[in-house]
Amino acid sequence: SLGAGRWYGVAQAQGGKILVAAKYRGYTYTSTDYGVTWKENTAAGTNLWSSLAISEDGSNLVISNLNADPNTGKLYSSPDLGATLIEETGAGSANWRQVAMSTDGTKILVGQIDTGSIVFSTDAGATWKVQTGAPMGFYYRLDITADGSKMIAGNSIPQTLVTGVVK
């Protein structure tokens, strides 16, 4: 019902009752009724949205964007399903490619393609650290376990698969 587009970010919470989607070069969208109706979030504007993740209860949303200029993309959190966005300045600027989140929303993992590192937060975005032990590269896909203790990341340059403990 949302029409055609390059849907780069999608996530769900509460067993699919809450749905969020981000259109590359477009807006973010939310549904709180299993996708029957959708709200277009225009207050945050259009962007080069690349990925998003949401906690199971829907209270914590993190969304990333790319940018045409290297290392200028931003990472945002939202307390209201994307209607308003708060820049996560502690994570820095990068071309953020993929976001993953623990079920409770406190642990967030983000991969970037410019500086080629993975950053994470264990306190819902209050502070950010670089994941140690992960090789530098272009992290296009990653995931984190429900409790946020372990990760897997796909690196396209060099072509490697990285697994490990979030530390």
Side-chain angles (χ1 to χ4, degrees):
S1 65
L2 293 176
R6 294 168 68 186
W7 298 100
Y8 273 34
V10 295
Q12 63 179 334
Q14 295 182 7
K17 180 179 181 184
I18 297 173
L19 303 171
V20 290
K23 189 183 282 190
Y24 185 75
R25 295 191 188 276
Y27 294 110
T28 63
Y29 299 83
T30 56
S31 173
T32 56
D33 58 7
Y34 298 96
V36 174
T37 60
W38 289 87
K39 176 185 176 200
E40 183 177 68
N41 299 314
T42 58
T46 63
N47 215 313
L48 306 178
W49 303 119
S50 59
S51 181
L52 57 84
I54 191 169
S55 60
E56 180 54 33
D57 66 1
S59 65
N60 194 5
L61 172 72
V62 173
I63 185 168
S64 63
N65 79 331
L66 299 167
N67 203 319
D69 297 322
N71 293 314
T72 58
K74 304 293 183 196
L75 190 62
Y76 301 92
S77 62
S78 177
D80 53 12
L81 299 176
T84 57
L85 298 178
I86 301 161
E87 184 180 341
E88 292 291 329
T89 56
S93 295
N95 277 345
W96 302 107
R97 194 62 173 155
Q98 184 72 39
V99 179
M101 182 182 293
S102 62
T103 304
D104 66 4
T106 60
K107 292 156 186 94
I108 306 164
L109 193 66
V110 188
Q112 53 181 282
I113 60 174
D114 287 330
T115 60
S117 61
I118 298 172
V119 298
F120 71 96
S121 174
T122 58
D123 52 16
T127 59
W128 295 89
K129 299 177 187 175
V130 174
Q131 173 69 24
T132 59
M136 300 305 272
F138 286 15
Y139 287 98
Y140 281 91
R141 299 290 177 253
L142 53 82
D143 203 2
I144 193 169
T145 54
D147 68 358
S149 64
K150 295 178 182 68
M151 58 155 275
I152 184 170
N155 194 339
S156 67
I157 301 172
Q159 297 177 353
T160 56
L161 188 62
V162 178
T163 61
V165 175
V166 177
K167 56 181 175 160

